[in-house]
Amino acid sequence: MKKLISIGFATCFILPVSAQDNGALHLTSGEKLPAYPTALNDKYLQIQSDYLNGHGEIPLKAVDQIIFDSTKLNIPEKYSIIELKNGDNIHGTLLDLSTEKAILQTPWEKELVIERPFVSYVGFEAPTSCYMDMTESLSGWKQENNFMLPQAKLGKFVFPSKSTCAIKRPLELPSRIHLQFTLQHTLSYSLEIHLWKNESKSPHRLVLSLSSTSLQVTSTKNGRYENIGRFRPEVKQNWYSDNNLTQSKIDFYADKDNGVFALAINGKRIGVWTHDLNNSDNGSKTSFMPGNIFYLRGRDIQDMKLSNLNITEWNGNLPKDSMENDTLAPVDTDSGQDKVLLVNGDVLRGTLSLEKEGYVRVKSKHYDVRVPSHRVKELQQNYHSSDIANQSPNADIRLELADMSKISIRLLDINEDKIKAQLPCSKKEVFIPLKLVKKIIFNLNDAELKKLRD
């Protein structure tokens, strides 16, 4: 496990030696040091590394992030996700929900009280398997044929300009997957991702292809290509029609056994397709033989960056459609009511509360109903309050935890392998064990560093 520090404090925090190992210190220059921090005083971070012949000092402004490689993922089978208006995600079990507060039980806090004005939505999806931070390093990846390897820099795969990069790694995928990644692109990029690739002489694979001129999902069986879904440039609603768009968040869903596939770009559903992988277009029966190779290939005239590459087991819920079944929204646009999105796509609107039996209560002037939480996909907060909901109390550090939470904090102290911190959404100070921390990102509000990360 590894260690962390704070910024902007004149005091010096000495970190416990027992937790200091396998540290990866990333600098704003893109360099990486096999080191762990030992203390912080004023403008310098003190580190220790066998590669540096003992101790050394790094200017704090040069530190980008620290990654704790030995931290294991810990994804509970059942949990809720609370997303805050500042972009943070906090995972745990939802204990209470009212107009004033939400109470969440987390691995590091029995009852975390979150003020409702800070809440953007509450989700109820629970992946049962997950592979995280696949772009942090090239560890586990192999070069494909004679293609170049991308660079692993600041949590991104960087595909150098005018060069084709291709990498692969063994990865046992479940039969239903949710693939997520962020693509920073130009008008000339091309990216291809292979899932369930079989490297036999008669290859089988599912392929997602994205470029500046097309988008398609195909399958290959015994060397024969079959189209599953496709968009062409003349279609006005193409996700790439906005020439000013330089970064896209991709969500791809695939259920190979039931033949259901879906794609969402930047939160907007692009398409949902059905295709039986065990039947070809001409009706002849051919079995799809899945493999365990995950494959990436990309090329761009300029540098292309891929980040936040994660895979979770898909729970079967389709991504949100731009046309939700909210029949009241067109005629009641000024309503300040919250929304309950059900797993079948229907939408309820009203005042929300959580009841102990596991039901979400929705009360409006039209109805007062109780919905089982397993029928709820998402609770959307429509609370329009003061600007405090978008402010952070000097939060210049972000933690990424082993339960997939991403939290902005103000670091107060480090003591006995715990971080003492203040969260923007809660008045109460919290203690987060360092063993749950996967990454600490510094200088969130540094404009120059933010531009480099983006």
Side-chain angles (χ1 to χ4, degrees):
M1 223 207 88
K2 314 161 215 149
K3 257 351 35 190
L4 138 48
I5 36 286
S6 112
I7 61 182
F9 294 89
T11 56
C12 177
F13 295 132
I14 303 298
L15 303 183
V17 177
S18 61
Q20 299 170 347
D21 57 0
N22 301 324
L25 177 67
H26 293 248
L27 306 180
T28 57
S29 62
E31 298 166 280
K32 183 175 70 171
L33 295 174
Y36 57 81
T38 57
L40 174 72
N41 54 29
D42 200 12
K43 298 181 180 180
Y44 287 89
L45 173 67
Q46 297 180 11
I47 61 173
Q48 181 172 329
S49 172
D50 293 338
Y51 289 82
L52 302 178
N53 193 29
H55 296 271
E57 284 189 338
I58 302 292
L60 191 59
K61 64 181 181 180
V63 180
D64 177 59
Q65 59 190 21
I66 302 174
I67 299 175
F68 303 98
D69 296 329
S70 62
T71 302
K72 296 182 179 180
L73 288 173
N74 182 20
I75 312 300
E77 293 184 0
K78 296 181 180 180
Y79 67 90
S80 301
I81 305 169
I82 290 186
E83 181 170 303
L84 306 182
K85 291 185 177 179
N86 65 354
D88 288 355
N89 286 278
I90 306 178
H91 295 196
T93 301
L94 188 63
L95 301 178
D96 190 19
L97 182 68
S98 66
T99 56
E100 294 82 22
K101 62 186 178 182
I103 300 180
L104 197 69
Q105 182 180 8
T106 72
W108 42 275
E109 191 77 5
K110 290 184 177 179
E111 290 190 357
L112 176 65
V113 180
I114 301 174
E115 298 179 48
R116 274 297 292 274
F118 289 88
V119 177
S120 175
Y121 78 77
V122 180
F124 289 89
E125 299 184 17
T128 56
S129 61
C130 179
Y131 310 90
M132 294 290 295
D133 300 331
M134 295 170 64
T135 53
E136 292 295 345
S137 73
L138 290 172
S139 177
W141 295 90
K142 293 184 178 180
Q143 189 174 10
E144 173 72 2
N145 296 330
N146 293 320
F147 292 116
M148 289 184 60
L149 284 170
Q151 300 174 0
K153 184 178 179 180
L154 295 177
K156 297 180 175 68
F157 281 158
V158 181
F159 297 79
S161 60
K162 300 180 182 180
S163 300
T164 300
C165 296
I167 52 177
K168 63 181 180 180
R169 65 183 296 177
L171 199 62
E172 293 289 347
L173 298 178
S175 61
R176 299 196 304 179
I177 65 170
H178 176 190
L179 170 70
Q180 300 171 298
F181 60 92
T182 300
L183 180 67
Q184 186 171 331
H185 53 73
T186 69
L187 296 178
S188 57
Y189 70 93
S190 175
L191 180 68
E192 194 174 276
I193 298 179
H194 295 197
L195 305 170
W196 296 298
K197 185 175 180 181
N198 186 322
E199 292 194 314
S200 64
K201 293 182 179 179
S202 301
H204 290 232
R205 58 183 177 266
L206 182 74
V207 181
L208 171 65
S209 302
L210 306 171
S211 76
S212 56
T213 58
S214 66
L215 179 160
Q216 64 180 1
V217 181
T218 60
S219 66
T220 299
K221 293 180 294 184
N222 298 316
R224 185 175 184 274
Y225 293 88
E226 294 181 342
N227 177 59
I228 295 176
R230 178 180 299 164
F231 283 100
R232 296 189 179 279
E234 62 268 17
V235 180
K236 292 183 180 180
Q237 65 267 29
N238 275 346
W239 65 281
Y240 47 78
S241 60
D242 184 358
N243 291 340
N244 296 319
L245 188 66
T246 58
Q247 181 168 293
S248 298
K249 180 182 177 182
I250 316 296
D251 290 272
F252 179 61
Y253 305 80
D255 183 343
K256 68 177 181 61
D257 291 341
N258 296 307
V260 180
F261 309 92
L263 186 70
I265 310 282
N266 296 324
K268 179 182 178 182
R269 185 195 296 182
I270 298 299
V272 179
W273 307 280
T274 57
H275 184 91
D276 188 353
L277 292 180
N278 290 317
N279 283 293
S280 60
D281 292 337
N282 60 14
S284 62
K285 190 78 172 180
T286 55
S287 177
F288 179 78
M289 296 181 293
N292 69 335
I293 302 298
F294 185 79
Y295 171 87
L296 287 170
R297 182 170 63 195
R299 178 181 173 83
D300 199 341
I301 292 179
Q302 303 179 37
D303 287 353
M304 178 175 64
K305 298 177 182 179
L306 182 72
S307 61
N308 303 318
L309 179 61
N310 309 315
I311 297 178
T312 61
E313 184 170 349
W314 183 26
N315 64 2
N317 290 337
L318 289 172
K320 285 188 297 186
D321 195 343
S322 57
M323 297 297 293
E324 296 173 349
N325 298 330
D326 188 352
T327 56
L328 290 178
V331 296
D332 192 14
T333 56
D334 294 331
S335 173
Q337 295 177 315
D338 298 335
K339 292 182 180 180
V340 178
L341 278 66
L342 305 182
V343 293
N344 66 350
D346 290 343
V347 180
L348 301 177
R349 288 153 53 104
T351 301
L352 309 182
S353 60
L354 186 70
E355 299 189 353
K356 293 182 179 179
E357 297 83 357
Y359 287 85
V360 175
R361 184 178 181 181
V362 189
K363 186 177 182 179
S364 73
K365 61 183 179 181
H366 302 291
Y367 48 75
D368 186 350
V369 297
R370 298 164 73 242
V371 184
S373 60
H374 68 272
R375 298 290 186 183
V376 176
K377 177 182 178 183
E378 183 178 307
L379 306 180
Q380 286 190 354
Q381 169 70 278
N382 199 27
Y383 192 104
H384 298 288
S385 64
S386 63
D387 292 339
I388 191 174
N390 295 311
Q391 295 177 355
S392 299
N394 301 321
D396 205 23
I397 293 179
R398 172 163 291 185
L399 303 181
E400 295 187 9
L401 306 182
D403 65 354
M404 300 169 59
S405 296
K406 296 182 179 181
I407 309 173
S408 300
I409 67 166
R410 177 191 175 199
L411 183 60
L412 302 177
D413 197 358
I414 299 175
N415 185 22
E416 296 180 354
D417 290 346
K418 291 183 179 180
I419 299 172
K420 181 181 179 181
Q422 175 73 57
L423 275 62
C425 61
S426 181
K427 296 179 181 179
K428 182 182 177 182
E429 295 175 353
V430 299
F431 293 86
I432 303 175
L434 282 173
K435 66 181 182 180
L436 298 179
V437 177
K438 288 183 62 65
K439 183 191 299 186
I440 304 111
I441 304 175
F442 294 84
N443 304 308
L444 295 179
N445 300 322
D446 186 293
E448 183 176 346
L449 184 52
K450 184 177 185 299
K451 183 178 179 181
L452 177 63
R453 290 191 181 115
D454 293 340

